[in-house]
Amino acid sequence: MKTVLDGCAKYSSDWDDFYGGPLISTYSVARDAGHLLVDALRVMALKSAVYELTGDELLAELPVPVPVDVTCHALCAQFTALSRIQQRTGHLFVHSTVNEHVNDTPWDAGDYTHQAYEAAFGPVNERYWIPAAEAERRRQVLDGKYAAIGITDRGMTGDIDYAAAV
Protein backbone atom coordinates (compact mmCIF):
# COMPACT_ATOMS: atom_id res chain seq x y z
CA MET A 1 0.00 0.00 0.00
CA LYS A 2 2.94 2.33 0.62
CA THR A 3 3.81 2.03 -3.09
CA VAL A 4 0.27 3.06 -4.06
CA LEU A 5 0.19 6.04 -1.70
CA ASP A 6 3.68 7.19 -2.64
CA GLY A 7 2.85 6.86 -6.34
CA CYS A 8 -0.33 8.90 -5.96
CA ALA A 9 1.43 11.64 -4.00
CA LYS A 10 4.42 11.71 -6.37
CA TYR A 11 2.29 12.05 -9.50
CA SER A 12 -0.16 14.55 -8.08
CA SER A 13 0.21 16.59 -11.29
CA ASP A 14 -2.20 14.03 -12.77
CA TRP A 15 -4.95 15.04 -10.36
CA ASP A 16 -6.88 17.01 -12.96
CA ASP A 17 -10.09 17.81 -11.22
CA PHE A 18 -12.18 20.95 -11.18
CA TYR A 19 -14.99 20.13 -8.74
CA GLY A 20 -13.34 17.96 -6.06
CA GLY A 21 -10.11 19.41 -4.68
CA PRO A 22 -11.07 23.00 -5.52
CA LEU A 23 -14.06 22.65 -3.16
CA ILE A 24 -11.48 22.83 -0.38
CA SER A 25 -10.81 26.41 0.64
CA THR A 26 -7.30 27.52 -0.40
CA TYR A 27 -6.65 24.07 -1.88
CA SER A 28 -3.12 22.93 -2.68
CA VAL A 29 -2.49 19.39 -3.88
CA ALA A 30 1.05 19.66 -2.47
CA ARG A 31 -0.30 20.42 1.01
CA ASP A 32 -3.55 18.45 0.94
CA ALA A 33 -2.66 15.24 -0.95
CA GLY A 34 -1.33 13.37 2.07
CA HIS A 35 -4.41 14.04 4.17
CA LEU A 36 -6.76 13.21 1.29
CA LEU A 37 -4.92 9.97 0.51
CA VAL A 38 -5.22 8.79 4.12
CA ASP A 39 -8.94 9.56 4.13
CA ALA A 40 -9.43 7.90 0.73
CA LEU A 41 -7.65 4.76 1.90
CA ARG A 42 -9.78 4.66 5.05
CA VAL A 43 -12.96 5.09 3.00
CA MET A 44 -11.86 2.30 0.67
CA ALA A 45 -11.35 0.09 3.75
CA LEU A 46 -14.87 0.92 4.96
CA LYS A 47 -16.32 0.10 1.54
CA SER A 48 -14.42 -3.20 1.49
CA ALA A 49 -15.70 -4.06 4.97
CA VAL A 50 -19.32 -3.34 3.98
CA TYR A 51 -18.88 -5.48 0.87
CA GLU A 52 -17.38 -8.35 2.84
CA LEU A 53 -20.22 -8.18 5.38
CA THR A 54 -23.05 -7.89 2.86
CA GLY A 55 -21.79 -9.15 -0.51
CA ASP A 56 -23.65 -6.18 -1.98
CA GLU A 57 -21.48 -3.97 -4.20
CA LEU A 58 -24.18 -1.29 -4.49
CA LEU A 59 -24.60 -1.09 -0.72
CA ALA A 60 -20.81 -0.95 -0.31
CA GLU A 61 -20.63 2.16 -2.53
CA LEU A 62 -20.87 4.46 0.48
CA PRO A 63 -21.49 8.16 -0.05
CA VAL A 64 -18.21 10.02 0.38
CA PRO A 65 -17.40 13.75 0.44
CA VAL A 66 -16.42 14.96 -3.02
CA PRO A 67 -12.72 15.77 -2.35
CA VAL A 68 -12.20 12.34 -0.75
CA ASP A 69 -14.10 10.58 -3.55
CA VAL A 70 -11.92 12.24 -6.19
CA THR A 71 -8.88 11.01 -4.27
CA CYS A 72 -10.34 7.48 -4.29
CA HIS A 73 -10.25 7.80 -8.09
CA ALA A 74 -6.54 8.66 -7.87
CA LEU A 75 -5.97 5.55 -5.75
CA CYS A 76 -7.89 3.40 -8.22
CA ALA A 77 -5.64 4.71 -11.00
CA GLN A 78 -2.86 2.68 -9.37
CA PHE A 79 -4.61 -0.39 -10.78
CA THR A 80 -1.70 -2.83 -10.95
CA ALA A 81 -0.48 -2.16 -7.43
CA LEU A 82 -4.02 -2.32 -6.03
CA SER A 83 -4.64 -5.58 -7.88
CA ARG A 84 -1.55 -7.09 -6.27
CA ILE A 85 -2.67 -5.91 -2.83
CA GLN A 86 -6.11 -7.46 -3.38
CA GLN A 87 -4.51 -10.75 -4.42
CA ARG A 88 -2.17 -10.82 -1.43
CA THR A 89 -4.74 -9.80 1.20
CA GLY A 90 -7.86 -11.38 -0.23
CA HIS A 91 -9.74 -8.11 0.36
CA LEU A 92 -11.54 -6.59 -2.60
CA PHE A 93 -11.45 -2.82 -3.10
CA VAL A 94 -14.93 -1.64 -3.95
CA HIS A 95 -15.33 1.58 -5.91
CA SER A 96 -17.77 2.17 -8.73
CA THR A 97 -18.61 5.54 -10.25
CA VAL A 98 -21.62 3.89 -11.90
CA ASN A 99 -22.92 2.79 -8.51
CA GLU A 100 -22.28 6.25 -7.08
CA HIS A 101 -24.71 7.57 -9.68
CA VAL A 102 -27.19 4.72 -9.11
CA ASN A 103 -27.22 5.46 -5.37
CA ASP A 104 -27.36 9.21 -6.08
CA THR A 105 -26.84 10.01 -2.41
CA PRO A 106 -24.29 12.69 -1.58
CA TRP A 107 -22.28 12.37 1.60
CA ASP A 108 -23.61 14.38 4.51
CA ALA A 109 -22.58 14.94 8.10
CA GLY A 110 -24.01 12.36 10.46
CA ASP A 111 -24.78 9.72 7.80
CA TYR A 112 -23.71 6.07 7.96
CA THR A 113 -20.34 6.74 6.32
CA HIS A 114 -19.62 9.52 8.82
CA GLN A 115 -20.60 7.33 11.78
CA ALA A 116 -18.62 4.32 10.53
CA TYR A 117 -15.53 6.45 9.77
CA GLU A 118 -15.55 8.01 13.23
CA ALA A 119 -16.10 4.65 14.94
CA ALA A 120 -13.13 3.16 13.07
CA PHE A 121 -10.71 6.08 12.76
CA GLY A 122 -11.84 9.00 14.95
CA PRO A 123 -13.19 12.40 13.89
CA VAL A 124 -13.28 13.42 10.24
CA ASN A 125 -11.23 16.39 9.13
CA GLU A 126 -13.85 19.02 8.32
CA ARG A 127 -11.50 20.66 5.83
CA TYR A 128 -12.05 17.68 3.51
CA TRP A 129 -15.40 16.32 4.71
CA ILE A 130 -17.61 19.04 3.27
CA PRO A 131 -21.35 18.43 3.81
CA ALA A 132 -23.60 18.07 0.74
CA ALA A 133 -25.31 21.47 0.87
CA GLU A 134 -22.02 23.32 1.35
CA ALA A 135 -20.34 21.27 -1.39
CA GLU A 136 -23.13 22.21 -3.78
CA ARG A 137 -22.88 25.90 -2.79
CA ARG A 138 -19.16 25.80 -3.50
CA ARG A 139 -19.77 24.02 -6.82
CA GLN A 140 -22.12 26.83 -7.81
CA VAL A 141 -19.39 29.38 -7.00
CA LEU A 142 -17.03 27.37 -9.21
CA ASP A 143 -19.70 27.15 -11.94
CA GLY A 144 -19.69 30.96 -12.18
CA LYS A 145 -15.93 31.27 -12.23
CA TYR A 146 -15.46 28.53 -14.81
CA ALA A 147 -18.28 29.84 -17.03
CA ALA A 148 -16.37 33.12 -17.31
CA ILE A 149 -13.64 31.26 -19.21
CA GLY A 150 -15.97 29.04 -21.25
CA ILE A 151 -16.11 25.94 -19.05
CA THR A 152 -19.71 24.90 -18.34
CA ASP A 153 -21.81 21.87 -17.41
CA ARG A 154 -19.61 21.18 -14.39
CA GLY A 155 -16.53 20.89 -16.56
CA MET A 156 -18.18 18.63 -19.14
CA THR A 157 -18.36 21.33 -21.84
CA GLY A 158 -15.69 23.74 -22.99
CA ASP A 159 -16.13 26.61 -25.40
CA ILE A 160 -12.56 27.78 -25.77
CA ASP A 161 -11.33 28.51 -29.28
CA TYR A 162 -7.63 27.82 -28.97
CA ALA A 163 -6.91 28.84 -32.56
CA ALA A 164 -8.34 32.30 -31.92
CA ALA A 165 -6.21 32.66 -28.80
CA VAL A 166 -2.94 32.55 -30.78
Side-chain angles (χ1 to χ4, degrees), residues 16-117:
D16 295 342
D17 143 58
F18 298 98
Y19 282 95
L23 293 182
I24 300 166
S25 184
T26 63
Y27 172 70
S28 164
V29 73
R31 178 189 58 235
D32 295 315
H35 300 285
L36 286 165
L37 285 165
V38 167
D39 278 355
L41 182 58
R42 289 174 174 175
V43 161
M44 296 288 279
L46 290 174
K47 290 179 178 195
S48 294
V50 170
Y51 181 74
E52 288 178 14
L53 290 170
T54 67
D56 187 329
E57 190 175 335
L58 187 61
L59 189 61
E61 191 52 57
L62 302 172
V64 179
V66 178
V68 177
D69 183 53
V70 168
T71 309
C72 287
H73 298 174
L75 281 175
C76 290
Q78 301 296 322
F79 181 76
T80 304
L82 284 182
S83 295
R84 288 181 184 140
I85 291 168
Q86 289 179 123
Q87 287 175 332
R88 275 197 314 267
T89 66
H91 297 290
L92 182 65
F93 287 101
V94 179
H95 186 79
S96 169
T97 303
V98 170
N99 285 339
E100 288 175 10
H101 290 282
V102 169
N103 284 342
D104 196 28
T105 305
W107 176 81
D108 216 349
D111 72 0
Y112 176 80
T113 306
H114 190 175
Q115 293 174 40
Y117 184 100

